[in-house]
Amino acid sequence: MPLAGRPTSKDVAQEAGVSQSTVSLVLGGKWSGRVSPATARSVRVAAERLGYRPNPAARNLRLGTTRTVLLMVPTLSAPFFGPVYTGAARVAARHGLGVVVSTWPDDADGPAESPFPAPHEAIDGVLASSMPAAALERFQGTPAVLLDSGPHADVPTVDFGVADGMRAIADHLTGLGHRRIGHVAAGVDQWTFRARAETLSAAVAALPGGALARAACAIDVASARDAAHRLLARPDPPTALVCDDDLIAAGAYKAARALGLDVPGEVSVTGFDDVLLATALEPELTTVRLPAEEMGAQGMTALLELLDGGRPAPRVLPGRLVVRGSSAPPRAPLPP
Amino acid sequence: MPLAGRPTSKDVAQEAGVSQSTVSLVLGGKWSGRVSPATARSVRVAAERLGYRPNPAARNLRLGTTRTVLLMVPTLSAPFFGPVYTGAARVAARHGLGVVVSTWPDDADGPAESPFPAPHEAIDGVLASSMPAAALERFQGTPAVLLDSGPHADVPTVDFGVADGMRAIADHLTGLGHRRIGHVAAGVDQWTFRARAETLSAAVAALPGGALARAACAIDVASARDAAHRLLARPDPPTALVCDDDLIAAGAYKAARALGLDVPGEVSVTGFDDVLLATALEPELTTVRLPAEEMGAQGMTALLELLDGGRPAPRVLPGRLVVRGSSAPPRAPLPP
DNA sequence: CTGAAAGCGCTTACAG
DNA sequence: CTGAAAGCGCTTACAG
């Protein structure tokens, strides 16, 4: 019972010798012209002496709003979500709102079927990022904006121009002369990865002589390394590995090195996202920069609009191809 | 006014033709033996039909607890905090608590002096990680545990054995034969970095012929690269760079490469933390593994103890030296 | 088995 | 300038 024993505004009132409503007026900053300066001062002194802090639950109940927004993400370990939060928090702060982050509850634990909101759902709205296809029901009744989760009929969305980004990668590589492409694909059930796979498939299929091989992996270095290794060990290995994520590209680098293949001399590698890791790698990674912070900001803007009773239009944020040192023309094939 | 118009338990009661207290009993799962199954069913149906969700603010006020804990971190962009969250959330879930994350508010925005808690402080307790020296006052009155913030007289703490970890790095390098050490130091006002600097200084000072040069940087690749470059460009360059963070080590790699220096052949590099990046780099990074997830778990355990009225003892979690490919004996000095 | 009522701690008309 | 009172939406004794 952590709040038990905490002083309330009533205690402060008693200490200051005034009424509870006067305390509320003074500490709420609405006293000028309504309470004498001397009384206000004594209230402040009493509050300070008692270490009084208003009970947020009471205030939230009374006001009908918590001025807090929840950002839901699949994981906090992916570097992508830091900037999303930053962008959202920046816009929120400008409107006097706080942002709090949480991850999808592990369905392993606890009764998933509780009709009750999780406690941290004492919030005004939700920004749900990179949602697994299903999980939207949890928010019925809570204003929500979907980030990086694909188009949706009923809910406002902010997405990246993933297809354009993937096409830019494909164009870049085929422009360099690559024809045998390997796709090291994130085996994750999210819209963005489905869109990446479909776009790449279509782009390579449209290419005379194009051939696509695909290997799926988890979004971690070891799993990506193994998947890339499978592709590179084929009898007709790809000359370029298109990776669904910068982290996956790091795994591809490792696979190439293990096979004694130079990047980009013997195999080109591309990433997706342009997180910090992209420039920490050697060679620096050709990738598509996704404006994560902008996604957070636009998402929060849309949510504010929604909370205001508006119907925010879907937004799509273009990615941008960033060519660095990991892509080059394929080595001329040796005569058979 | 996002909550306006939402159905309340009163609406459900009316819809089901029962009293509000019966609704509360049924939906709260405390009805068996007190409400007839038929009534319970009709309440559930009515709640479903109206899309009723209990108001968490009312429930929190009534119960005096939110069953939510706030994890405060300096930034969400550092990969270190993902595992801290995971560990804390795991322990919390076991006790029916939720964890929510937030960053230190940018003091730039807003009136820092508000006597009111930020809205997201509708919580039972705080896990404050890697605090800037000052910021503790914000929690007066809220049960708090300090993570990675150094010892504290009044507040329970969980810390890493940073000094031991740094000594292990120093011993490893001096054991290899290094004498001229460069410290690429995080210029951040946090206990952990002060402890790292002091320990390294002492270790090198205790070493016959030991010499330490230090350059400070921000915790990002570019800033670290510049700092490392300054050290390596000295007339008597260090043969080993001790970096305060794995990310800083990535910058040191870049500086070495820019100067044509092989790692570890011509300069050894060590990191700290052992985040994912450490094994994505080439060569893989010698570093100290800090058990971040364990810190989150132990911190939450301590907080639960505190909420239970206990006085949890300070905890120190040992780091572990992980030797990989980035450290080697120094090249024998050429005769003068 | 069911309902009327108290009360959590605030904010804000309203009365004086 | 100040205070008494209503009410936000719950949970939980208590009475019947």
Side-chain angles (χ1 to χ4, degrees):
Chain A
M1 204 69 87
L3 268 48
R6 251 175 52 163
T8 70
S9 60
K10 224 159 148 183
D11 298 321
V12 176
Q14 189 161 31
E15 177 84 4
V18 301
S19 75
Q20 185 269 333
S21 43
T22 299
V23 171
S24 189
L25 245 25
V26 171
L27 298 181
K30 309 206 167 152
W31 60 279
S32 100
R34 302 206 261 168
V35 176
S36 79
T39 304
R41 202 171 313 115
S42 75
V43 167
R44 272 196 239 286
V45 167
E48 170 77 18
R49 189 162 42 223
L50 297 181
Y52 169 71
R53 320 216 56 187
N55 180 322
R59 156 175 262 243
N60 292 342
L61 174 57
R62 173 63 224 239
L63 297 177
T65 170
T66 61
R67 303 204 69 73
T68 301
V69 163
L70 178 66
L71 172 65
M72 271 276 191
V73 298
T75 167
L76 275 168
S77 293
F80 176 73
F81 298 106
V84 175
Y85 171 81
T86 302
R90 178 166 41 79
V91 172
R94 208 178 291 147
H95 294 259
L97 300 189
V99 179
V100 120
V101 190
S102 195
T103 61
W104 302 104
D106 257 332
D107 292 354
D109 314 310
E113 291 308 320
S114 162
F116 284 88
H120 51 251
E121 291 188 24
I123 48 160
D124 289 350
V126 170
L127 248 31
S129 185
S130 315
M131 299 235 319
L136 190 58
E137 303 87 85
R138 296 186 62 88
F139 300 132
Q140 62 157 12
T142 304
V145 170
L146 253 35
L147 267 33
D148 185 36
S149 306
H152 192 284
D154 309 322
V155 182
T157 56
V158 184
D159 284 302
F160 295 121
V162 167
D164 284 349
M166 188 51 102
R167 256 190 299 272
I169 291 272
D171 290 352
H172 170 64
L173 290 174
T174 59
L176 288 170
H178 293 276
R179 290 297 174 272
R180 291 200 311 281
I181 309 280
H183 184 198
V184 193
V188 174
D189 179 29
Q190 284 175 16
W191 166 82
T192 190
F193 296 118
R194 289 193 297 274
R196 291 172 202 196
E198 284 164 21
T199 306
L200 184 61
S201 293
V204 175
L207 188 72
L212 181 69
R214 178 169 288 137
C217 63
I219 305 183
D220 68 67
V221 174
S223 173
R225 183 198 56 215
D226 295 346
H229 193 282
R230 288 199 298 277
L231 292 173
L232 292 174
R234 290 165 60 104
D236 55 338
T239 61
L241 292 178
V242 173
C243 302
D244 262 355
D245 185 281
D246 293 348
L247 194 56
I248 291 177
Y253 276 41
K254 285 191 171 283
R257 255 186 238 113
L259 291 167
L261 297 172
D262 179 60
V263 176
E266 291 165 293
V267 58
S268 289
V269 175
T270 64
F272 222 100
D273 281 9
D274 198 25
V275 297
L276 201 136
L277 175 66
T279 52
L281 292 174
E282 182 68 25
E284 296 192 353
L285 185 65
T286 294
T287 189
V288 172
R289 169 170 304 185
L290 300 182
E293 187 167 335
E294 181 66 12
M295 167 163 280
Q298 295 264 349
M300 185 58 72
T301 302
L303 184 55
L304 289 166
E305 213 177 313
L306 187 67
L307 291 173
D308 251 27
R311 302 248 313 143
R315 294 150 204 242
V316 176
L317 310 178
R320 190 165 63 73
L321 179 68
V322 181
V323 177
R324 298 202 181 95
S326 68
S327 52
R331 188 160 278 186
L334 299 175
Chain B
M1 204 69 87
L3 269 46
R6 250 176 52 163
T8 70
S9 59
K10 224 162 148 184
D11 298 321
V12 176
Q14 189 161 32
E15 177 83 4
V18 300
S19 76
Q20 185 269 332
S21 42
T22 298
V23 171
S24 190
L25 244 24
V26 171
L27 298 182
K30 310 204 168 155
W31 60 279
S32 100
R34 302 208 262 168
V35 176
S36 78
T39 304
R41 202 172 314 115
S42 75
V43 167
R44 273 196 238 285
V45 168
E48 172 76 18
R49 189 162 41 221
L50 297 180
Y52 169 70
R53 320 216 54 188
N55 180 323
R59 156 175 263 243
N60 292 342
L61 174 58
R62 175 62 226 240
L63 296 178
T65 170
T66 61
R67 304 205 69 74
T68 302
V69 162
L70 178 66
L71 172 65
M72 272 274 192
V73 299
T75 169
L76 275 169
S77 293
F80 175 73
F81 298 105
V84 175
Y85 170 82
T86 302
R90 178 166 42 80
V91 172
R94 209 177 292 148
H95 295 259
L97 299 188
V99 179
V100 119
V101 190
S102 193
T103 61
W104 301 104
D106 256 332
D107 291 354
D109 316 309
E113 292 308 320
S114 162
F116 285 88
H120 50 253
E121 291 189 23
I123 47 160
D124 288 351
V126 171
L127 246 32
S129 184
S130 314
M131 298 234 321
L136 190 58
E137 302 89 86
R138 296 187 63 88
F139 300 130
Q140 62 157 15
T142 304
V145 170
L146 255 33
L147 267 34
D148 184 37
S149 306
H152 192 283
D154 309 322
V155 181
T157 56
V158 184
D159 285 302
F160 294 122
V162 168
D164 284 349
M166 188 52 102
R167 256 189 301 270
I169 290 272
D171 289 351
H172 169 63
L173 291 173
T174 58
L176 288 169
H178 293 277
R179 289 300 175 270
R180 291 199 312 281
I181 308 281
H183 183 198
V184 192
V188 172
D189 179 29
Q190 285 176 14
W191 166 81
T192 189
F193 297 118
R194 289 193 297 275
R196 293 173 200 197
E198 283 164 21
T199 306
L200 184 61
S201 292
V204 175
L207 188 72
L212 181 69
R214 179 170 286 137
C217 63
I219 305 184
D220 69 68
V221 175
S223 173
R225 184 197 55 214
D226 295 347
H229 192 283
R230 288 199 298 279
L231 291 173
L232 293 173
R234 290 165 59 106
D236 56 339
T239 60
L241 293 178
V242 172
C243 301
D244 262 354
D245 185 282
D246 293 347
L247 193 56
I248 292 177
Y253 275 42
K254 284 192 171 283
R257 255 185 237 114
L259 291 166
L261 298 172
D262 179 61
V263 177
E266 290 166 294
V267 60
S268 289
V269 175
T270 63
F272 223 99
D273 282 7
D274 197 25
V275 296
L276 200 135
L277 175 65
T279 53
L281 292 175
E282 184 67 24
E284 297 192 354
L285 186 65
T286 294
T287 187
V288 172
R289 169 170 303 185
L290 300 183
E293 188 168 335
E294 182 65 12
M295 168 163 279
Q298 295 265 349
M300 184 58 72
T301 302
L303 184 56
L304 289 166
E305 214 177 314
L306 187 66
L307 291 173
D308 250 25
R311 302 247 313 141
R315 294 150 204 242
V316 175
L317 311 178
R320 189 165 64 75
L321 178 68
V322 181
V323 176
R324 299 202 182 96
S326 67
S327 52
R331 188 159 278 188
L334 299 175

